Amino acid sequence: MFHTRIRLAATAAAVVAAIGLTACGSGSGDEIVDKPKAKASAKAGDGGDKEPAAEDSSAAPEVAEVGDTLALKGMESGSGLDVTVVKVVDNAKSGDEFFAPEDGKRWIGVQFQLVNTGTKVYSDAPVNGAKLADDQGQQFGTVLADITAGPSMSSDVRLKPGAKALGWIVFEVPKASKAATVTFAMDSGFAQQAGEWKL
């Protein structure tokens, strides 16, 4: 029994050390990406004559909001996603009559679009890399729930380069909480870059 505990402790220490080395090996440490790229790209697609005006205008948001796209990198070289927060539904309704938020809580649904911009297959559970924070700084994880707004994001997404996935990720928060930001990171949340959108 004693030897088993030592073995478990040693294994846990090795895993923590490996994660620490991986994080250190990637360079500058944690990085929050919140400068959107979607506005210029979308306008360029609508017509090239509009893009310079958009660049000169001060109306472009300084931080990403709903509808904006952020370019994120994963831990492995050649892994990357363009991630867009497409829509947000506060007080989302359950698509299952037998499953609902706990008393005193509500669901917030966030629809994400993921586009593989890397050179490798993206394979992950996107719900593991998403978090929502309120205006008090409290952070909330995801809940596996279907909502009436639309199909959920798959828990096992595999995308070849250029492919995309679209789906809702649901967060359970107190009824009194005011949603402030939502974040997303690749590699089940372990990537050094995390995208952040203002809600």
Side-chain angles (χ1 to χ4, degrees), residues 1-89:
M1 185 79 165
F2 179 70
H3 293 295
T4 303
R5 286 188 189 147
I6 291 175
R7 201 174 302 121
L8 288 173
T11 303
V15 170
V16 170
I19 291 171
L21 287 173
T22 303
C24 292
S26 64
S28 61
D30 290 347
E31 176 188 353
I32 298 295
V33 177
D34 63 358
K35 302 298 179 226
K37 62 175 273 184
K39 299 299 183 188
S41 299
K43 288 193 165 105
D46 293 341
D49 58 327
K50 293 183 182 177
E51 188 175 355
E55 286 177 354
D56 293 339
S57 171
S58 59
E62 292 185 9
V63 296
E65 298 175 340
V66 176
D68 289 329
T69 300
L70 297 176
L72 301 177
K73 293 178 182 175
M75 292 167 67
E76 287 187 58
S77 176
S79 65
L81 289 177
D82 271 0
V83 182
T84 307
V85 169
V86 182
K87 297 177 186 173
V88 176
V89 173

Side-chain angles (χ1 to χ4, degrees), residues 130-150:
K131 286 186 179 178
L132 186 141
D134 68 11
D135 59 352
Q136 301 300 308
Q138 298 178 98
Q139 293 192 346
F140 306 96
T142 60
V143 59
L144 296 178
D146 290 321
I147 57 175
T148 57

Side-chain angles (χ1 to χ4, degrees), residues 109-169:
V110 179
Q111 188 182 42
F112 284 91
Q113 178 179 273
L114 313 178
V115 180
N116 186 352
T117 58
T119 57
K120 299 181 176 182
V121 172
Y122 167 76
S123 179
D124 198 9
V127 295
N128 293 339
K131 286 186 179 178
L132 186 141
D134 68 11
D135 59 352
Q136 301 300 308
Q138 298 178 98
Q139 293 192 346
F140 306 96
T142 60
V143 59
L144 296 178
D146 290 321
I147 57 175
T148 57
S152 296
M153 179 68 74
S154 172
S155 60
D156 182 20
V157 173
R158 289 180 59 81
L159 300 174
K160 66 182 181 181
K164 62 183 170 182
L166 178 71
W168 290 88
I169 294 179

